[in-house]
Amino acid sequence: MKTNENHSLRLSKCVLVPYRPKHVLKYHEWMKSEELQELTASEPLTLEQEYEMQKSWSEDDKKCTFIILDGSKLASDFGNEVDTMVGDVNLFFNDVDCSTSAEIEIMVAEADTRGKGIGKEATLAMMQYGIATLGVTIFTAKIGYNNKLSLALFHRLHFKEVSRSEAFQEVTLELVVTESVKSFIGSSLQEYLVSAYSE
């Protein structure tokens, strides 16, 4: 998405940066994992396809993607971004009936980073960015039955189950943006700073 291509989000535990070609190789290595393929309902791509995907997503106004960097390992000058990559967070504007509805996805790929609050913080930050910058009014999340960690996370963020698909073995959760939701997100983020990003 062009909107976020020059934005980074600085948070207390992590930094979110736009998905650039330099991130693709590590992302591609992550997605060779059968566990991550199952958790994200993804099919493995060739490296060439992964580069093509990154390019198309960066230009697609219906997809907003940030790479999650571990703030505790990140040099202040962004010099070691690839080494500190731990996952990604996305918004997809695919609802033909509501242009301000966005599906949110979070992936913490590095196992040793899970359980430290980075996924929660990155999700909250993406929600804040979606509301304040992209005008999101409804968030949805589609999560596989077996993805207990993600289900627990989104329930803690006040998402409510609206449907189940036995065919896809997934639950659809929803959160309507209200003033109380905005207040909850704002109070849950210890730090949130949108700043200019350049390579």
Side-chain angles (χ1 to χ4, degrees):
M1 178 179 274
K2 295 292 186 183
T3 304
N4 80 312
E5 69 177 355
N6 296 313
H7 289 168
S8 68
L9 309 185
R10 292 179 172 270
L11 313 165
S12 61
K13 297 181 178 182
C14 60
V15 176
L16 307 186
V17 296
Y19 187 26
R20 294 286 174 86
K22 65 182 176 183
H23 303 127
V24 172
L25 186 58
K26 186 166 183 177
Y27 191 92
H28 179 66
E29 289 301 313
W30 285 341
M31 298 316 295
K32 291 179 180 178
S33 160
E34 291 184 6
E35 177 198 15
L36 290 177
Q37 289 172 26
E38 181 181 348
L39 290 175
T40 59
S42 301
E43 296 291 329
L45 302 177
T46 66
L47 183 57
E48 182 181 5
Q49 289 171 326
E50 207 79 72
Y51 276 106
E52 289 171 0
M53 179 85 75
Q54 180 278 325
K55 185 176 187 298
S56 70
W57 281 29
S58 69
E59 298 170 352
D60 190 336
D61 285 338
K62 294 186 180 295
K63 296 179 174 68
C64 181
T65 298
F66 282 104
I67 295 294
I68 306 167
L69 311 178
D70 185 339
S72 68
K73 299 176 183 175
L74 183 65
S76 60
D77 64 356
F78 289 84
N80 60 348
E81 266 188 42
V82 172
D83 292 340
T84 63
M85 288 170 60
V86 295
D88 72 331
V89 61
N90 308 285
L91 289 177
F92 302 115
F93 293 84
N94 296 327
D95 189 332
V96 294
D97 298 319
C98 181
S99 62
T100 58
S101 175
E103 180 181 344
I104 188 166
E105 286 185 352
I106 174 78
M107 176 182 74
V108 178
E110 297 290 331
D112 64 351
T113 308
R114 296 173 194 160
K116 297 181 178 179
I118 288 177
K120 180 181 178 183
E121 184 179 71
T123 304
L124 284 163
M126 184 58 117
M127 291 167 68
Q128 176 71 14
Y129 187 82
I131 294 166
T133 306
L134 305 176
V136 176
T137 61
I138 302 171
F139 291 101
T140 61
K142 295 180 179 178
I143 302 169
Y145 289 171
N146 295 328
N147 194 341
K148 306 297 185 189
L149 287 176
S150 284
L151 285 169
L153 169 62
F154 281 95
H155 282 301
R156 286 198 306 274
L157 298 180
H158 304 298
F159 280 67
K160 303 296 182 190
E161 182 178 326
V162 292
S163 66
R164 284 180 171 249
S165 169
E166 295 302 327
F168 293 103
Q169 293 285 292
E170 69 182 15
V171 180
T172 298
L173 306 172
E174 184 178 276
L175 180 68
V176 176
V177 178
T178 61
E179 288 306 314
S180 64
V181 166
K182 291 179 185 178
S183 177
F184 166 72
I185 295 170
S187 64
S188 299
L189 285 169
Q190 294 179 4
E191 183 180 341
Y192 175 85
L193 175 66
V194 180
S195 55
Y197 175 81
S198 60
E199 304 227 31

